[in-house]
Amino acid sequence: MTTPLKQPKPIQPMQFIDLKSQLNLIRPAIDAAIKKVLDHGIFIMGPEVFELEKQLSEFCGVKHTISCANGTDALGLVLMAKNVGPGDAVFVPSFTFAATAEVVAWVGATPVFIDSLEDTYNMDPKSLEQGIQTAKKMGLNPVGIIPVDLFGQPADYDAIQAIADTHELWVMADGAQSFGAEYKDRKVGSIGDVATTSFFPAKPLGCYGDGGAIFTNDDELAAIIKSLRVHGQGSDKYDNVRIGMNGRLDTIQAAILIEKLKVFPTELVNRQKTADAYNEALKDIVTVPKLIDGVTSAWAQYTVRLPKNINREQLIAALKESGIPSVIYYVKPLHQQTAYKHYPTATTSNLPVCEALAGEVLSLPMSGYVSDEDAYQVVQTILKLTRS
Ligand SMILES: *Cc1c(COP(=O)(O)O)cnc(C)c1O
């Protein structure tokens, strides 16, 4: 018999967002919660949905939480409730996930794309001012702003709210990536006229399917959204008073979220620890994420900006070889994408910051369960490449 070749130690591939460790930790509670729903059998608008809404309202210090089917519907329901439509302009960042602009197009309004800030990658208030002027020149009616809390950090709401007040616009915070974060002692959910989030599995607070929520202190808005969520029903179930949709959150997902909310605060602390470790080790090599004063991040993503001397494709390949996944959020800003190209941008030329960001950013593994060993391996792989 020949001696077998010595095998290299198998590399255990790291998860980009480690949902497995979380499940292992809370599995008995999740199983029990799902079983309870199966036993009572109220799969649509069961007691867990209302319990979750109550807990979320307490968590972020807001009067109304309206759960819904996903984070995109959350944004869309608000635009429907506000009667946004053709001729209206809604200001959205270009450097975001498509849903933020998609919902504006759904209702026939015009998304106007705004550039990003160099340091936080969030909506640039100066570019927002320009966008409002551009919309007016085009004969559009500016109605609202949807700032996005990109990668988990709240946008600069004081600066944005001041502009909104000047032009009498509403502010809807797209907190799909930032649930759990704070802006100057206010929790995401309680910032803006209305806020939304997503419970897509990979978001900071995720369920095991699709889910989302809307948060507001506005009683009237909350009542309209609740009606829209169930086909526009009125006080008499058989007399629909407006055109709505089927936008409810499943009871099973609500039951799962109630269990996940229990470990969420610890996960936020862990995410910050991982970010601190990455920051410390990488700060002299790449541009590490910058948080503005008085703000915390939910760290949906840990995204660095690479200097010219680091080739992004090479780095992605080197990380992959070590079993480390990395993702580019986002390869293309929305204003350059096929479905959105024809919509206006803040200035008629281009959006230089978000176009540069798209070519330079890279997101590293992040979750509430990144081990010290994994963080070390990520850092060492990057250091090795940049030293060679
Ligand atoms: C994920 C996301 C959404 C949409 O959420 P879904 O639940 O996937 O519909 C909206 N906006 C932003 C910024 C997101 O990251």
Side-chain angles (χ1 to χ4, degrees):
M1 236 175 87
T2 53
T3 36
L5 282 172
K6 203 175 164 197
Q7 294 288 329
K9 205 173 139 226
I11 295 170
Q12 193 66 280
M14 213 178 279
Q15 282 191 280
F16 183 63
I17 294 172
D18 185 359
L19 294 172
K20 256 193 202 137
S21 298
Q22 184 198 47
L23 179 59
N24 289 341
L25 184 74
I26 61 175
R27 184 72 190 242
I30 293 284
D31 285 343
I34 294 174
K35 181 178 181 300
K36 211 172 139 199
V37 177
L38 297 182
D39 288 342
H40 71 52
I42 311 170
F43 302 118
I44 302 293
M45 298 309 260
E48 286 83 357
V49 172
F50 300 100
E51 177 58 29
L52 174 71
E53 290 180 340
K54 194 174 126 242
Q55 290 189 16
L56 292 174
S57 292
E58 275 163 25
F59 183 89
C60 53
V62 74
K63 200 162 165 195
H64 304 281
T65 297
I66 304 117
S67 62
C68 62
N70 56 69
T72 308
D73 282 359
L75 295 162
L77 279 163
V78 174
L79 296 184
M80 287 166 77
K82 288 184 172 295
N83 274 318
V84 177
D88 292 339
V90 177
F91 305 92
V92 299
S94 179
F95 197 57
T96 178
F97 183 64
T100 316
E102 182 182 31
V103 293
V104 179
W106 270 5
V107 296
T110 303
V112 178
F113 291 112
I114 306 302
D115 207 358
S116 310
L117 290 164
E118 287 275 0
D119 54 355
T120 63
Y121 319 153
N122 275 327
M123 181 182 265
D124 178 356
K126 278 208 193 82
S127 177
L128 173 60
E129 284 277 17
Q130 290 172 326
I132 294 168
Q133 297 315 323
T134 301
K136 282 182 178 165
K137 266 183 228 148
M138 292 176 70
L140 294 167
N141 175 36
V143 293
I145 308 166
I146 313 181
V148 173
D149 302 341
L150 202 69
F151 305 142
Q153 172 173 204
D156 193 352
Y157 285 98
D158 285 351
I160 291 168
Q161 189 64 54
I163 296 169
D165 290 345
T166 305
H167 298 276
E168 294 178 30
L169 309 175
W170 46 255
V171 174
M172 163 158 61
D174 181 349
Q177 302 181 8
S178 64
F179 192 73
E182 285 178 27
Y183 178 88
K184 304 184 182 176
D185 295 326
R186 280 174 285 162
K187 277 216 155 67
V188 166
S190 65
I191 309 166
D193 298 300
V194 54
T196 64
T197 199
S198 162
F199 303 126
F200 181 82
K203 307 282 174 165
L205 179 63
C207 56
Y208 292 136
D210 277 312
I214 300 152
F215 311 94
T216 187
N217 288 317
D218 182 333
D219 298 339
E220 201 187 323
L221 184 68
I224 296 171
I225 293 168
K226 279 181 190 169
S227 159
L228 287 168
R229 174 174 68 174
V230 197
H231 305 289
Q233 80 178 17
S235 45
D236 172 355
K237 183 171 164 182
Y238 297 101
D239 183 30
N240 293 304
V241 295
R242 53 178 69 81
I243 305 297
M245 63 194 277
N246 176 0
R248 297 168 299 226
L249 177 72
D250 290 346
T251 308
I252 285 183
Q253 298 304 341
I256 288 162
L257 283 163
I258 289 170
E259 295 312 317
K260 289 222 193 180
L261 193 57
K262 291 177 188 162
V263 291
F264 187 55
T266 308
E267 291 175 350
L268 288 170
V269 172
N270 292 347
R271 283 172 185 269
Q272 182 59 52
K273 276 187 195 152
T274 299
D276 288 342
Y278 281 155
N279 281 344
E280 187 50 35
L282 298 174
K283 66 180 188 307
D284 298 329
I285 299 156
V286 298
T287 307
V288 295
K290 179 180 179 282
L291 300 191
I292 57 173
D293 284 346
V295 161
T296 66
S297 176
W299 296 108
Q301 302 297 340
Y302 182 88
T303 305
V304 299
R305 199 171 168 179
L306 303 177
K308 296 270 176 292
N309 66 327
I310 301 182
N311 178 296
R312 187 163 64 178
E313 294 314 313
Q314 245 174 18
L315 178 57
I316 293 170
L319 288 165
K320 196 173 171 198
E321 213 162 286
S322 307
I324 302 166
S326 60
V327 182
I328 301 172
Y329 290 122
Y330 296 93
V331 175
K332 231 185 208 187
L334 290 178
H335 74 280
Q336 295 179 327
Q337 294 187 17
T338 308
Y340 297 97
K341 267 199 263 242
H342 64 287
Y343 288 115
T345 49
T347 54
T348 44
S349 47
N350 57 0
L351 301 178
V353 178
C354 69
E355 285 164 28
L357 285 172
E360 296 169 13
V361 289
L362 189 65
S363 301
L364 303 176
M366 173 54 85
S367 72
Y369 302 88
V370 179
S371 66
D372 291 350
E373 295 74 35
D374 283 355
Y376 180 80
Q377 222 203 323
V378 171
V379 164
Q380 287 308 311
T381 307
I382 297 173
L383 293 182
K384 214 167 87 192
L385 184 87
T386 52
R387 282 201 195 111
S388 61

